Amino acid sequence: MDDYSLLIDLHRRAQRQGPGGELETSKAIELTGIDLSAPIKLADIGCGTGASTLVLAQSLNAQITAIDFLADFIEELETRAESFGLSDRITPLVCSMDNLPFNKGELDVIWAEGSIYNMGFETGINNWKQFLKPGGLLVVSEITWLTSSRPSEIQRHWETEYPGIGTASEKFNALESSGYSPVAYFTLPESCWLDNYYRPLQKRFADFLNRHEGSEEAQALLRIEEEEISLYERYKAYYSYGMYIARKL
Ligand code: SAH
């Protein structure tokens, strides 16, 4: 097994593959001001096993294309959508976020929780804009510095892992430069990281090691996850995910 299949195996059984929360998805929906009964077309990009997709499908009158490049995650999403009776609202699609199959101006809303970093924030918002109608809404969560300066350990870590990390004002500048107008912003609370993501992840460690008979590769992956969790616990005052809501001009 390579690292990739190990990563999939560790994360596919999870409700979510990154920090977030149902309450926070609902809060973002409310802040967009979308008319809940109006029929709309929405793409949930980098949807994983569907944490946000299911909330969106329950809350909106939307036809949702749920996109992820990992077929295993999309399979889990299909099973979950079915068990919630939401399959008719969700079209699952295995596809890369840098090669989306939409027509220009087709979408009312683009949603992406904890995934745009895979393209980079600026590349993502620029590339995806063509698929939104004028006046369409973009909702993305993105790792964000909460302060103007940081202890060097955490600064170095994230600049190596994700050089695109910035403050909210930098992200809003990028949005404005790309032809979006800011609508709303909030940061994800600690519960989105610890209760909803890291603690459930840690609970799966033992079964994961068993499945892989304690292999060196499996242990190495868990060490990386533990290190990320430990950094969060020590430095959570300095970074979180920001939820960015903006309108295409
Ligand atoms: N939105 C989900 C998953 C976040 S994790 C949640 O909040 O739980 C990031 C997701 O992006 C993963 O599911 C990963 O498979 C997906 N991803 C990474 N690179 C991608 C790409 N190039 N195209 C599409 N999806 C991608």
Side-chain angles (χ1 to χ4, degrees):
M1 260 196 176
D2 56 27
D3 270 6
Y4 222 47
S5 29
L6 282 175
L7 257 179
I8 294 171
D9 187 60
L10 179 60
H11 289 281
R12 69 173 291 169
R13 289 166 182 77
Q15 298 269 342
R16 59 178 55 258
Q17 285 68 39
E22 291 182 6
L23 281 176
E24 288 67 24
T25 300
S26 296
K27 179 172 170 179
I29 292 172
E30 198 182 327
L31 288 169
T32 61
I34 297 172
D35 174 351
L36 301 185
S37 62
I40 57 166
K41 278 186 98 165
L42 180 152
D44 187 0
I45 303 176
C47 60
T49 59
S52 54
T53 321
L54 298 174
V55 178
L56 291 162
Q58 276 164 336
S59 313
L60 298 168
N61 182 13
Q63 269 308 321
I64 300 175
T65 310
I67 297 158
D68 204 283
F69 77 157
L70 294 179
D72 301 78
F73 288 176
I74 289 290
E75 240 173 60
E76 297 283 344
L77 179 147
E78 284 179 301
T79 310
R80 292 172 72 196
E82 226 158 87
S83 69
F84 282 91
L86 293 168
S87 301
D88 56 333
R89 299 193 157 211
I90 300 171
T91 308
L93 184 68
V94 178
C95 173
S96 184
M97 61 173 72
D98 53 13
N99 188 27
L100 298 172
F102 302 109
N103 296 320
K104 285 197 187 339
E106 185 181 341
L107 299 169
D108 298 283
V109 182
I110 289 180
W111 206 276
E113 293 198 19
S115 64
I116 197 171
Y117 75 92
N118 288 291
M119 273 181 89
F121 187 82
E122 291 198 39
T123 311
I125 59 174
N126 275 306
N127 182 290
W128 297 348
K129 197 179 75 171
Q130 58 184 311
F131 305 119
L132 277 177
K133 291 179 183 162
L137 286 156
L138 173 79
V139 181
V140 293
S141 71
E142 161 83 340
I143 194 152
T144 299
W145 291 129
L146 302 180
T147 56
S148 60
S149 64
R150 281 74 54 178
S152 59
E153 185 184 12
I154 195 63
Q155 177 85 23
R156 271 200 313 274
H157 171 80
W158 279 114
E159 279 186 351
T160 309
E161 289 299 311
Y162 182 46
I165 188 170
T167 57
S169 56
E170 289 165 345
K171 301 288 165 185
F172 276 117
N173 258 323
L175 283 163
E176 287 172 339
S177 304
S178 303
Y180 295 90
S181 180
V183 171
Y185 172 76
F186 63 92
T187 54
L188 297 190
E190 204 176 307
S191 58
C192 284
W193 291 79
L194 294 176
D195 304 343
N196 299 352
Y197 181 55
Y198 283 147
R199 298 300 176 237
L201 174 63
Q202 286 171 311
K203 282 200 186 118
R204 297 194 305 277
F205 283 0
D207 281 348
F208 171 78
L209 273 183
N210 279 336
R211 280 197 303 280
H212 299 284
E213 293 163 351
S215 80
E216 188 42 53
E217 290 88 344
Q219 290 188 47
L221 176 57
L222 295 191
R223 277 196 298 275
I224 293 170
E225 301 281 1
E226 285 287 17
E227 173 60 16
E228 191 191 301
I229 297 169
S230 151
L231 283 169
Y232 178 75
E233 284 167 342
R234 281 178 287 146
Y235 292 115
K236 61 194 175 199
Y238 299 94
Y239 65 99
S240 186
Y241 265 86
M243 188 74 85
Y244 295 84
I245 303 171
R247 189 180 294 285
K248 177 179 171 175
L249 293 172

